[in-house]
Amino acid sequence: MKRAKRIYILLGVLAVLCVATFAVSRYNEEQEKINTSNEIVPDIDAETVTALSWETEENSLAFHLDTESGEWIYDDDEAFPASTDKITDLLNVFAEYEADFIIEDVTDYEQYGLDDPVCTISVTLEDETVYEINLGNFSSLDSERYIEFGDGNVYLAVVDPYDSYNLELSDMILHDTIDTISQADSITFSGAQNYTIYYEEDSANTYCTDDVYFVEDGDLPLDTDSVASYLTSFCNTILSDYVTYNVTEEELTEYGLDDPELVITVEYPYTVTDEDGEETEETRTVTLSIGINQEELAAAEEELEEDEEVDLSEITMYVRVDESQIIYELTSTRYNYLIACGYDDLRHAKVLAANFEDVYQLDFTIDGTTYTIHTEINEENSDDEETVRLYYYYYDGEVVSADDLEEDDDIENYRVEVDGDTLSDVIEAVSAESFTDEEATGELETSFIAYLENDNYEQVEVELYRYDGTYCLAVIDGEPVSLVLRSSVVDLIETINAIVL
């Protein structure tokens, strides 16, 4: 009996709730009308806005337009470099803003979460019209945001503005930028390195026709690909993790930027296109200054044992663009890229830096015997790509030069063709592991002379001497240059033997 009574009581309560719910729904239907709509509200033109502010649970930010300069100012600190593009993006959220549904004649904002909005946005126009925009809860049916613009209606948003306005101050900064630089007229280093690289086409100071960058002192050629890679690292320096946007003299000292570890200045050509599409060339200059946290550096140096060096990967690095007031933290990886800018970092590593297309003959000397191999470029292939074709002359049991054949000989009868890709690959593999100017004392392993179609350099001679079990010393045109892996020299010798023996 008691159980039955409880059931009757519960059924009674349920009936009362149903009646109450029905009454409330009927009341709300009378008070609020829900209509489907693609209405544009409030259609704010970003160019007419003079102030923008918003408040979320985490942040409260406000900006106003300086009508004279056209720049946006952060209300709490005029020194903050606000991004006009970012402000425009935020305002464009409400340009031709569409709603899926309109709930008219709203009396109960609480049910939409609009009595305590998750975000309140204020937009002031130049005619002093002010839009107060409140963002409420999500609709339980379609997970769209409830929004009200102060006109007595509630809208279901097609696009949720909260996704755009849930920002911190750091998101609003106008970061420094570096142009994409594909070619530099000059690159000047000071500090850890002190020299200048200049650009020159068709230089007489190199036998590699691709060389366009040279060190100012001595006109020494640099590897074009290495300089291009360095410029890419320079341009890709990450300018986002700022530590201050209004640096003081005291902070410059703290960051090591009053006397930078390295200063890199790049001068480069830049094409400017005006409103009419007319292009003009100008020269631009950009400078990066790299500093090291002085307090951290001093502490690390105190803990060093004798002959130890500071592990810079554990110390905070900084970078500054030109004379900008913004200072950015620099990752150790990017620091390592930028600091690797010495002559040895950017010079040719290959012992034969010439374009293989410019080589028409190679004389290899192995165990006292010289083998002459001729090269030519094969332009007739299915991939429309140039490939190297090698051949040599075999006469009377020996590999000979064309000059050794009699004039009345049918030279083609003694021509032997071989695949040239393998040889070019093994020659390119003979590359510097480190650079040195010490004289050769070991045994000559092999040597070769490359004859060039070059007005300034007719030939390049490479001698490879044994240095130890791991390395050979490369001597180019009589000057010691680098240590190369002995294994790459052995590969070269074996490849030549496979061709001619």
Side-chain angles (χ1 to χ4, degrees):
M1 287 293 292
K2 288 182 179 180
R3 185 177 179 184
K5 269 186 185 179
R6 277 200 219 95
I7 293 174
Y8 291 140
I9 291 171
L10 290 173
L11 288 173
V13 170
L14 180 61
V16 170
L17 289 174
C18 288
V19 171
T21 300
F22 177 74
V24 168
S25 66
R26 291 292 297 170
Y27 176 79
N28 283 339
E29 282 182 9
E30 292 176 3
Q31 298 296 317
E32 302 173 358
K33 301 174 183 177
I34 302 177
N35 296 315
T36 59
S37 173
N38 286 322
E39 183 174 343
I40 309 287
V41 288
D43 194 13
I44 295 173
D45 182 356
E47 294 185 359
T48 66
V49 178
T50 59
L52 172 67
S53 63
W54 65 94
E55 183 176 355
T56 65
E57 293 179 356
E58 292 81 18
N59 292 293
S60 178
L61 300 174
F63 299 85
H64 67 273
L65 180 67
D66 183 332
T67 53
E68 291 187 5
S69 66
E71 296 180 351
W72 282 88
I73 308 298
Y74 177 45
D75 287 4
D76 290 349
D77 186 357
E78 291 189 0
F80 180 81
S83 169
T84 297
D85 288 343
K86 189 63 180 179
I87 296 286
T88 301
D89 289 343
L90 291 174
L91 292 172
N92 283 339
V93 170
F94 298 108
E96 298 186 354
Y97 190 74
E98 293 186 1
D100 271 343
F101 292 93
I102 301 176
I103 306 171
E104 299 175 340
D105 302 325
V106 175
T107 57
D108 180 13
Y109 288 93
E110 182 178 359
Q111 62 180 314
Y112 307 114
L114 291 166
D115 61 325
D116 184 21
V118 297
C119 179
T120 298
I121 303 165
S122 177
V123 181
T124 303
L125 307 185
E126 57 189 10
D127 63 2
E128 298 186 358
T129 300
V130 178
Y131 286 100
E132 294 291 343
I133 304 167
N134 292 318
L135 310 185
N137 296 334
F138 287 109
S139 164
S140 58
L141 294 178
D142 48 24
S143 297
E144 291 185 345
R145 180 82 67 182
Y146 289 115
I147 301 180
E148 63 106 358
F149 295 93
D151 60 358
N153 300 326
V154 172
Y155 300 84
L156 271 176
V158 173
V159 177
D160 184 3
Y162 189 80
D163 295 336
S164 299
Y165 281 84
N166 186 25
L167 302 171
E168 299 178 357
L169 180 62
S170 59
D171 297 313
M172 300 301 299
I173 194 170
L174 176 62
H175 286 295
D176 296 311
T177 58
I178 303 174
D179 292 328
T180 299
I181 304 172
S182 58
Q183 173 195 315
D185 291 335
S186 68
I187 308 171
T188 300
F189 303 101
S190 61
Q193 297 290 338
N194 289 279
Y195 73 102
T196 296
I197 297 170
Y198 69 93
Y199 181 93
E200 180 183 346
E201 295 181 356
D202 303 322
S203 172
N205 296 309
T206 179
Y207 58 79
C208 179
T209 52
D210 287 341
D211 288 347
V212 291
Y213 291 106
F214 301 84
V215 175
E216 191 172 46
D217 294 335
D219 294 320
L220 301 172
L222 299 175
D223 178 38
T224 300
D225 289 340
S226 295
V227 177
S229 295
Y230 186 83
L231 283 173
T232 298
S233 293
F234 179 91
C235 297
N236 289 343
T237 300
I238 299 171
L239 304 173
S240 60
D241 190 9
Y242 73 89
V243 293
T244 180
Y245 57 79
N246 191 22
V247 68
T248 63
E249 292 298 323
E250 182 180 350
E251 287 173 329
L252 284 175
T253 301
E254 176 188 343
Y255 302 149
L257 287 167
D258 60 329
D259 184 20
E261 174 79 1
L262 178 67
V263 178
I264 313 158
T265 301
V266 180
E267 187 177 279
Y268 58 99
Y270 189 82
T271 303
V272 179
T273 305
D274 62 21
E275 295 179 354
D276 298 326
E278 295 292 328
E279 294 184 349
T280 56
E281 294 292 331
E282 65 180 33
T283 298
R284 290 186 175 183
T285 301
V286 61
T287 296
L288 287 186
S289 300
I290 298 171
I292 300 177
N293 187 295
Q294 297 301 292
E295 184 178 344
E296 294 177 9
L297 180 61
E301 289 175 340
E302 285 183 4
E303 298 179 1
L304 287 180
E305 299 291 338
E306 188 176 352
D307 297 328
E308 284 186 333
E309 293 184 359
V310 174
D311 182 4
L312 293 178
S313 65
E314 301 297 324
I315 297 178
T316 308
M317 309 287 183
Y318 307 96
V319 65
R320 183 187 195 187
V321 180
D322 296 327
E323 296 299 315
S324 172
Q325 288 297 101
I326 308 175
I327 306 300
Y328 300 90
E329 190 169 319
L330 187 68
T331 65
S332 59
T333 299
R334 186 60 57 182
Y335 169 83
N336 290 334
Y337 282 140
L338 293 175
I339 206 72
C341 59
Y343 172 56
D344 285 352
D345 296 305
L346 301 176
R347 66 192 292 190
H348 286 285
K350 300 172 185 176
V351 295
L352 181 62
N355 292 331
F356 218 78
E357 293 85 349
D358 296 332
V359 178
Y360 66 86
Q361 181 176 313
L362 291 158
D363 286 351
F364 292 93
T365 300
I366 301 173
D367 295 331
T369 302
T370 299
Y371 305 99
T372 297
I373 296 179
H374 302 270
T375 72
E376 65 180 22
I377 303 303
N378 176 26
E379 299 180 355
E380 299 177 1
N381 58 78
S382 58
D383 297 327
D384 293 327
E385 294 181 357
E386 293 183 347
T387 57
V388 177
R389 176 182 291 164
L390 299 183
Y391 61 93
Y392 60 91
Y393 294 103
Y394 192 78
Y395 179 80
D396 198 19
E398 293 182 357
V399 176
V400 298
S401 170
D403 295 336
D404 295 331
L405 297 172
E406 299 294 336
E407 291 184 5
D408 56 352
D409 286 331
D410 186 352
I411 196 168
E412 293 301 319
N413 291 334
Y414 305 101
R415 174 170 164 149
V416 180
E417 291 194 16
V418 295
D419 176 23
D421 290 341
T422 301
L423 180 58
S424 63
D425 288 345
V426 295
I427 291 177
E428 290 185 353
V430 184
S431 183
E433 293 291 305
S434 62
F435 293 96
T436 182
D437 58 2
E438 61 181 291
E439 296 294 330
T441 58
E443 177 186 352
L444 179 65
E445 296 268 16
T446 186
S447 65
F448 64 89
I449 299 174
Y451 297 88
L452 308 174
E453 294 177 348
N454 187 297
D455 293 337
N456 302 308
Y457 291 85
E458 294 182 356
Q459 64 184 53
V460 179
E461 182 178 9
V462 177
E463 298 169 292
L464 299 165
Y465 294 87
R466 180 176 295 193
Y467 184 81
D468 57 25
T470 304
Y471 298 107
C472 283
L473 176 66
V475 176
I476 301 177
D477 288 337
E479 296 292 331
V481 172
S482 61
L483 296 180
V484 300
L485 290 175
R486 186 166 182 268
S487 58
S488 66
V489 177
V490 172
D491 287 344
L492 175 60
I493 293 172
E494 291 179 347
T495 299
I496 299 301
N497 286 331
I499 290 174
V500 300
L501 296 182

